[in-house]
Amino acid sequence: MNRPNRAVRSALSATALCAGLALPSAMSLAEENADHPGISQGELSYQGAPTDPGELKRVITPGAPDMTQAEFDLATKLYFERCAGCHGVLRKGATGKALTPDITQQRGTEFLKVLINYGSPAGMPNWGTSGDFSDEEIDIMARFLQHEPPTPPEFGMPEMLETWKVHVPVEERPGKPQHDYDIDNIFAVTLRDSGEVALIDGDSKAIIAVLKTGYAVHISRPSHSGRYVFTIGRDAKVDMIDLYMNPPQVVATIKVGLEARSVETSKYKGYEDKIAIAGAYWPPQYVLMDGGTLEPKKIVSTRGMTVDTQEYHPEPRVAAIVASHEHPEFIVNLKETGKILLVNYSNLDALNVTTLEAARFLHDGGWDSTKRYFLTAANKSNKIAVVDAKDREIEALVDATETPHPGRGANIKDPKYGPVWVTSALGNENMSFIGTDPKRNKKHAWKVVRTLKAQGGGSLFVKTHPKSDNLWVDNTLHPSPAVSQTIAVYDINNLDGEYEVLPIAEWADVGEGPARVVQPEYNAAGDEVWFSVWNGKDQVSAIVVVDDKTRELKAVIKDERLITPTGKFNVYNTRNDIY
């Protein structure tokens, strides 16, 4: 099923295992654009190419199958856009398995094609049989993976300053909101494949604005005050959106590298909104910036030794970043080395960084209900690291089932075990409940006290709200449409009972396509849950709103501008770390 004039289509989740890629026909692309062989005009204008393939040195690897230069350049570009987030820029593996030539050549082209086509029970999507990728597209990537990975260039202060732009100076921004929207109930919605973010009014369900951002925005983070929303794309482009303006618009931008996924702003008393931080996948580094303009102030490399074997790692990518409520610090996860940094921003001229040793490979995480303890998944080590942000130490390393993937997790009051934090998993159907109350429930603290079965593996997010009696879990990357197109919901007051399955994609009525359901997100009041129905770029997508109390359909948001919606971030809940 060839689609030669389409650019990258149905995208993998920013946090998903990413080996299947949509690759346009290399021959047709070369014919389309003589100035850039192998790259179409659409690709050139496409948001978020992490780097120009021409900047990379092509390596012809002995034993690897032949590729044309156009195929190699295209696959390189798409690998950085789509796969590096899980498998690593240098393909040494993390959430996804290592894809170095010693492994891929042994497996061979046909094996790799089958894997990309059918996926795996561990969370690898079935991107061929789902209809997203053609046979030709799968073949190009299967051959590319058997060559040595090209290394992209570094990206330092001169390169950052070239990209830094203040579109609206601070003194020219309004002093109060210029509209009647309830800012706290605005949702920032990632439109992954169009390189945009939609701002949607949670009250009227109307789209307020669609703004150009970096490609495949991974997260949107409101500032402590709620005035600004910071987005970061996989292409490492940070955009700062002023919600006071009518309509809201991007007031500052910067690129902090070639690939990235995390951004956050300061929350500690006296430092609110003053400092922003962004973490890069490539180069492996984080950047501290002025919170009002994004002016880069300090770049810190993360290269170093692993916590277990004490070996040097050239690519410790920055994963989750959260702002401490206990100290003027950011908590920064380093994926490959398994280290957690406490970056004190009180004096950028004498930066103080405390290194805590956890486990490989650190990924996402979130706060417990008191916002003292940060729980984060070391997913390929099958552990949850617990950081005491007040005492600034590792409180515990908790064993979890295969490939925990919490997003930011969910905090509930378990009827039997008291306060717990919940994570689902990519690798199996288990949901792990970890006790988080060392004062009143000491015997249950930092232990898996309950394990529930979800519909299956391939889950990306669990979600609840302090005002809700429901716990929601998606299975976005499950290979069966009957699972990936639905949502499971549990009664928190009867966790031993059966979960209910809601037909979210059926309610959306989007027509053909994978229609994967992803990321439950509450409104500010905690009485609605929003779901993305994530279809292909050229297909109809939607957002489905469910009444949290009745579990009945409340609204379906459809608009031709809603292209591949994935993550949704409610301003109130996100800035207050409510989940």
Side-chain angles (χ1 to χ4, degrees), residues 166-320:
V166 179
H167 304 292
V168 182
V170 174
E171 60 272 16
E172 296 180 15
R173 300 172 195 171
K176 60 181 181 180
Q178 303 298 295
H179 51 71
D180 295 328
Y181 296 112
D182 177 3
I183 287 178
D184 267 347
N185 204 30
I186 290 176
F187 287 76
V189 181
T190 296
L191 306 181
R192 193 188 192 283
D193 284 2
S194 66
E196 296 171 318
V197 163
L199 300 177
I200 302 180
D201 176 28
D203 297 329
S204 68
K205 314 298 187 290
I207 296 177
I208 301 169
V210 175
L211 303 173
K212 284 291 182 184
T213 58
Y215 164 72
V217 163
H218 186 259
I219 56 173
S220 296
R221 285 287 174 262
S223 62
H224 182 272
S225 66
R227 171 175 186 165
Y228 296 110
V229 169
F230 296 81
T231 70
I232 189 163
R234 284 289 187 170
D235 58 348
K237 184 172 181 280
V238 179
D239 290 282
M240 181 180 181
I241 302 168
D242 187 353
L243 296 181
Y244 278 12
M245 302 179 79
N246 188 20
Q249 67 182 69
V250 174
V251 294
T253 60
I254 191 172
K255 272 179 67 74
V256 298
L258 302 177
E259 189 198 358
R261 54 151 285 154
S262 297
V263 67
E264 181 64 289
T265 60
S266 52
K267 294 183 177 180
Y268 189 68
K269 186 176 180 179
Y271 294 90
E272 298 95 331
D273 293 12
K274 293 187 181 299
I275 306 292
I277 184 174
Y281 268 15
W282 190 272
Q285 61 193 25
Y286 59 89
V287 185
L288 295 158
M289 301 166 287
D290 180 88
T293 66
L294 296 182
E295 179 183 3
K297 298 292 188 179
K298 182 81 66 176
I299 304 172
V300 183
S301 174
T302 59
R303 291 178 170 104
M305 315 307 284
T306 62
V307 296
D308 43 14
T309 58
Q310 297 291 300
E311 294 176 278
Y312 176 76
H313 201 290
E315 191 191 353
R317 296 171 291 167
V318 178

Side-chain angles (χ1 to χ4, degrees), residues 275 277 286-288 297-301 328 330 341-354:
I275 306 292
I277 184 174
Y286 59 89
V287 185
L288 295 158
K297 298 292 188 179
K298 182 81 66 176
I299 304 172
V300 183
S301 174
F330 293 115
L341 308 182
L342 308 180
V343 180
N344 190 298
Y345 50 74
S346 60
N347 184 354
L348 298 187
D349 293 326
L351 195 66
N352 187 303
V353 180
T354 299

Side-chain angles (χ1 to χ4, degrees), residues 73-86:
D73 289 348
L74 180 59
T76 297
K77 177 177 179 293
L78 292 174
Y79 181 86
F80 284 123
E81 287 182 352
R82 302 298 182 129
C83 300
C86 290

Side-chain angles (χ1 to χ4, degrees), residues 316-332:
R317 296 171 291 167
V318 178
I321 303 175
V322 296
S324 173
H325 301 270
E326 303 283 353
H327 300 281
E329 292 179 336
F330 293 115
I331 300 177
V332 179

